[in-house]
Amino acid sequence: MKFKNEFKKQMVPEWADAYLDYNGLKRLLLEISCEKQIQKSRASSGYSKKKPAVDRKCSEFISQPIKSHVGKDIENQNEDQHDFRKSQEISEIEVKFFKKLDEELNKVNSFYKESVEAVTNEASVLKKQMETLIALRRKIQKESISRPQLEQLHKEASSSEHLEEITKENSQNSQEILKHVKVLDDLVTDDDDRSKIEEQLKKAFAEFYQKLYSLKQFSFMNLSAFARILRKYEKISSRAAARSYMEIVDNSYLGTSDEVADLMKMVEIAFIKNFSNSNYKEGMKLLKPKTKREKHRVSFSSGFLSGCTVALLAASVLKILSQRLLEREDGTHYMENIFPLYSLFGFIVLHVLMYAADLHFWRCCGVNYPFIFGSKRGTKLGCQQVFLLGVGLAVFASASFLASLYLDRDPSTRKYRTEAEKVPLGTAAVVLLIAFCPFNILYKSVRFSFIRSFLRCISAPLCKVKFPDYFLADQLTSQVQASRCIVLYICYYGLGEHSRKQSKCHTHGVYNTLSFVIAVIPFWLRFLQALVSFPRIRKPDFRNAFFSEYCYMGCEIPHRLERRTKHSL
C-alpha cells in the first residue's frame, strides 16, 4: 500500500486539519520537478523556441513563466554573483516548499502540544476518580454493620460539631473525605450504584486510552510523513537536505515528547490492577480490543455470492419464459401471487445494499459513523460485511423463488405443489430465526443491537431513544411497501388464500385496513420520537465527536461521586 493511502487511512477524521498536508507538499514537489525538467530541456536546446520535452504531468507548467533568476542580465549577474549562485541552488519554488514545510511543522507541533496538555489534565481527573472509587470500595466493604448501628452513626453524623469537622476536611483528598462516609441506605443499593460507576469509569479509561493511542499514532504518522516527503525532495532536487531538516523535526516537541507513552503506561497499570484483578492479558483485551482486519474471504464470498445471485435470477427468468407462464391465465395468477410475497426480500436486499454504499462513501469522506451510531469498539461492520449480508440474503431468496417455481410449475413435481405453497413462508421463518439466533455467529452483536433499536422504535414514548433509533425510524418510513408485504403474508397464509391460488386478499376489509394502518405506523413512531426528544435536542458538536463520550464520562462520574458523598455526609 502506498504511504499516501496508509497516511489517509490512519487519520483520525476529527483531526484531519491538524495532520501534515502531505498532498499539498507533493504538489509543490511536482512543481519543483517540472521546473527542473523545463530548465534542463531549455538549457539543452539553447533557449530555442522549440517546445521542451517534458512529462505529461508537467505540461500544464510549460506555459507558466519560470520564477527563477536564469533570465537575469549579465550586468546584474556580475554585480551580485553570490546571490545568483544562491538562487541557482534553491529556486523560489523550493523556498516556497521549505516555507510550507516550516508552517506544517509548527501546525503539527502546536496541535500535538495542546492535545498532550489536555490529556494530562484529563489524566489527573481520572486519577482522582480512581482514588475516590477505590476508597468507596473499601468503605463499603467495612460498612458491614447492622441497621441500629447505622441509625446511631446517622445521629452522630448529624451533630453540628461533626458537620463542622467534615466541612473543614472537605478540601482534603478523596481518601480523607470518605472516612466520614456512612452507608445510610441498604448495602445492596450501594453495591448496584458502585457497579454502575465502575462500569462507567472502566469505559472512561478505555476511551481515554484510545485517545492516547490515537495521539501516539498522530505523532508517528506525521514523523513518517516528514521523512517521506524529505526523501522525495532529495530524489527530485539531488540535494542532501533530509538529514539536516529531520534533525529539526526530531528535536521538536513532536519528536521529543514522551508524555503520551508515560500516560499510556500509567493507564495500563491502573486499569489492569483495578478492573482485571492484575491479569495483564485480560486487562489489555478490555483496554485495547484488537481491530478486525479485512479478510480476503469476505471479499471472495461477496463476489462469489453476487455471481450466484445473477445466475439464480437468470435461471428464474429462463424458467418463466420456457414455461410461458405470462401467456397462460393460470400462470398469470401464479405470478400475481408469488411476486408480491418475494418482493419483501427484494426490498430488504435493496435497502441493505444501499446502506453498504452509504458506509463506503462515509468512510471515503472521513465520517466517523461508528461513533455516531454508538457502535462498540471491535463490533462495527464495514461496507464489505454489510454488502456480504445483502448478497447472502439475495442468494437465499433467489434460490427459494427458483425452488418454489420448479416445485409448483414443473410437470414432474406436481405432487409437491402443496409444499411449494409454503416455501415463501419457510424462507421468511428462516430469516427470522437467523436474526434472533442466540449463538455467536453472523455478527451476533450487530443483530441484537438492531433488534434492541427496533424495540426502542416501537416503544418510543415509553423509553429514551438514541440517534440509531432515529435513523432506523427514518429508514422504516421509506419502507412502507415492504411493511405492506408483511400484511400480505398474514392474509395469504393466515386466511388460507394460498390454497386457492387467487389473490383475494384485496377483497378482505381487514387486509385493506391493516395496509393503511401499517403505512401510517412508521411515520407515527417517528413523530413520537421527535415529540419526546424535543426538549433534549441540542446543537451537535462534531469537532471532538471521536472522544465526546469520554468527556461525558469524565464530567458525569465526579458529579455522581460528589452527590453520593454529600448525601452520605
Side-chain angles (χ1 to χ4, degrees):
M1 182 184 292
K2 290 184 178 181
F3 178 78
K4 180 180 68 174
N5 298 331
E6 182 66 21
F7 187 61
K8 185 177 180 180
K9 183 180 179 181
Q10 294 295 334
M11 276 187 181
V12 177
E14 289 74 20
W15 299 348
D17 295 336
Y19 282 82
L20 176 73
D21 187 7
Y22 190 77
N23 292 331
L25 290 170
K26 282 191 67 176
R27 284 193 295 269
L28 288 176
L29 289 180
L30 178 61
E31 292 185 25
I32 295 172
S33 176
C34 293
E35 182 190 40
K36 289 188 175 296
Q37 288 185 38
I38 295 170
Q39 288 179 355
K40 186 182 295 185
S41 178
R42 288 181 176 177
S44 61
S45 61
Y47 296 98
S48 64
K49 295 182 179 180
K50 183 179 179 181
K51 185 178 179 181
V54 294
D55 294 341
R56 185 178 300 176
K57 292 182 180 179
C58 301
S59 59
E60 60 182 19
F61 298 109
I62 293 176
S63 59
Q64 300 177 2
I66 299 177
K67 298 179 181 180
S68 64
H69 300 281
V70 177
K72 279 188 174 183
D73 295 335
I74 298 176
E75 296 179 359
N76 293 334
Q77 294 179 12
N78 295 329
E79 291 177 359
D80 198 356
Q81 187 69 22
H82 178 70
D83 292 338
F84 175 73
R85 291 177 181 176
K86 189 175 181 180
S87 67
Q88 286 289 334
E89 292 177 358
I90 300 179
S91 64
E92 291 185 10
I93 299 180
E94 293 178 81
V95 172
K96 184 179 178 181
F97 170 78
F98 279 102
K99 184 179 179 181
K100 183 172 179 58
L101 204 62
D102 293 337
E103 293 174 354
E104 293 298 314
L105 180 60
N106 293 332
K107 179 188 72 175
V108 173
N109 269 321
S110 299
F111 176 82
Y112 188 68
K113 188 175 182 179
E114 292 175 1
S115 300
V116 170
E117 291 175 355
V119 295
T120 303
N121 296 332
E122 292 170 6
S124 62
V125 174
L126 267 182
K127 185 178 179 181
K128 292 179 181 178
Q129 294 171 11
M130 193 70 252
E131 291 174 353
T132 306
L133 182 61
I134 293 172
L136 184 63
R137 284 177 177 175
R138 294 174 180 173
K139 196 63 183 178
I140 291 178
Q141 291 176 356
K142 291 180 181 179
E143 292 292 341
S144 56
I145 50 181
S146 60
R147 179 64 103 179
Q149 291 173 317
L150 286 172
E151 295 176 356
Q152 184 180 358
L153 289 173
H154 184 272
K155 292 178 181 179
E156 294 176 0
S158 61
S159 62
S160 60
E161 296 178 357
H162 193 60
L163 286 174
E164 290 177 0
E165 180 184 355
I166 294 173
T167 305
K168 292 179 182 179
E169 297 178 351
N170 199 28
S171 61
Q172 300 177 0
N173 59 26
S174 59
Q175 183 67 34
E176 293 296 323
I177 291 175
L178 287 175
K179 287 182 180 179
H180 302 283
V181 176
K182 306 301 178 183
V183 182
L184 304 178
D185 298 326
D186 293 334
L187 293 176
V188 176
T189 305
D190 289 326
D191 288 338
D192 293 341
D193 294 341
R194 180 173 60 87
S195 299
K196 293 179 181 178
I197 293 174
E198 286 182 359
E199 287 297 323
Q200 292 178 350
L201 192 57
K202 185 188 296 185
K203 187 175 181 181
F205 264 90
E207 294 291 339
F208 182 65
Y209 188 82
Q210 179 64 24
K211 184 173 185 177
L212 293 175
Y213 180 77
S214 298
L215 278 175
K216 185 178 179 181
Q217 286 294 105
F218 176 86
S219 174
F220 174 76
M221 294 306 298
N222 279 286
L223 289 173
S224 301
F226 275 109
R228 288 290 184 114
I229 206 70
L230 286 169
R231 282 202 296 267
K232 287 180 180 294
Y233 171 77
E234 278 192 344
K235 185 178 179 181
I236 292 172
S237 63
S238 301
R239 297 190 182 94
R243 179 176 296 181
S244 58
Y245 198 92
M246 279 306 299
E247 289 180 0
I248 300 175
V249 176
D250 292 335
N251 292 328
S252 65
Y253 188 83
L254 184 69
T256 58
S257 176
D258 295 330
E259 285 89 344
V260 173
D262 296 338
L263 286 174
M264 289 181 71
K265 194 65 178 178
M266 184 196 72
V267 171
E268 290 175 4
I269 294 172
F271 189 87
I272 292 169
K273 180 180 179 180
N274 296 287
F275 294 112
S276 62
N277 296 324
S278 300
N279 189 334
Y280 179 81
K281 186 179 291 186
E282 186 66 24
M284 293 305 297
K285 184 178 179 181
L286 296 172
L287 194 60
K288 186 183 176 182
K290 294 182 179 179
T291 56
K292 294 183 178 180
R293 296 182 179 179
E294 294 184 358
K295 298 180 179 179
H296 294 292
R297 65 184 181 186
V298 175
S299 302
F300 173 79
S301 301
S302 300
F304 175 75
L305 293 177
S306 300
C308 292
T309 302
V310 174
L312 289 170
L313 291 177
S316 301
V317 172
L318 292 175
K319 182 65 177 176
I320 293 172
L321 294 177
S322 63
Q323 295 287 334
R324 296 182 179 179
L325 296 181
L326 301 179
E327 299 178 3
R328 301 201 306 264
E329 184 177 358
D330 58 338
T332 303
H333 283 303
Y334 173 77
M335 297 304 294
E336 289 177 354
N337 282 275
I338 200 69
F339 258 96
L341 294 175
Y342 280 100
S343 62
L344 171 64
F345 304 105
F347 285 122
I348 296 175
V349 169
L350 180 61
H351 207 99
V352 172
L353 296 181
M354 292 299 295
Y355 181 62
D358 288 340
L359 294 182
H360 172 72
F361 288 112
W362 289 343
R363 185 182 66 178
C364 294
C365 297
V367 178
N368 192 4
Y369 63 87
F371 168 78
I372 295 174
F373 286 100
S375 302
K376 295 182 180 179
R377 287 187 297 163
T379 61
K380 69 179 183 69
L381 292 184
C383 57
Q384 291 185 349
Q385 288 83 2
V386 176
F387 182 79
L388 178 62
L389 291 176
V391 293
L393 179 59
V395 168
F396 184 56
S398 302
S400 174
F401 175 74
L402 186 60
S404 176
L405 196 62
Y406 267 97
L407 291 175
D408 193 282
R409 308 309 302 177
D410 198 270
S412 60
T413 57
R414 288 183 177 178
K415 58 181 179 180
Y416 299 109
R417 283 190 174 182
T418 304
E419 288 75 11
E421 296 165 353
K422 301 176 183 178
V423 171
L425 181 63
T427 305
V430 171
V431 172
L432 290 176
L433 287 176
I434 294 175
F436 289 91
C437 179
F439 302 107
N440 192 16
I441 57 174
L442 292 176
Y443 311 114
K444 175 187 173 183
S445 59
V446 178
R447 288 189 285 108
F448 278 66
S449 297
F450 174 79
I451 293 171
R452 286 192 294 268
S453 182
F454 181 77
L455 292 177
R456 286 194 295 267
C457 283
I458 62 178
S459 57
L462 306 177
C463 66
K464 184 179 179 180
V465 291
K466 302 178 182 178
F467 177 79
D469 310 327
Y470 298 127
F471 184 81
L472 181 58
D474 286 334
Q475 303 306 305
L476 292 177
T477 57
S478 62
Q479 286 288 359
V480 173
Q481 195 60 38
S483 304
R484 285 175 173 170
C485 292
I486 300 175
V487 181
L488 183 62
Y489 269 84
I490 296 173
C491 173
Y492 197 71
Y493 291 100
L495 301 178
E497 294 297 336
H498 67 282
S499 61
R500 289 189 280 272
K501 292 295 182 187
Q502 294 179 5
S503 54
K504 292 186 178 181
C505 287
H506 294 282
T507 61
H508 292 284
V510 178
Y511 172 79
N512 295 326
T513 303
L514 285 178
S515 297
F516 175 78
V517 171
I518 203 168
V520 176
I521 287 177
F523 296 93
W524 177 250
L525 293 176
R526 188 65 187 91
F527 170 74
L528 291 177
Q529 285 182 346
L531 190 66
V532 172
S533 62
F534 180 75
R536 297 193 299 270
I537 292 179
R538 296 178 180 177
K539 184 179 179 180
D541 183 11
F542 292 103
R543 290 177 297 176
N544 296 314
F546 190 71
F547 304 111
S548 63
E549 184 70 18
Y550 164 73
C551 296
Y552 164 76
M553 292 297 174
C555 298
E556 182 69 14
I557 293 175
H559 295 329
R560 291 190 180 184
L561 290 177
E562 184 179 358
R563 287 197 299 268
R564 286 172 52 81
T565 303
K566 289 182 179 179
H567 176 71
S568 300
L569 290 175

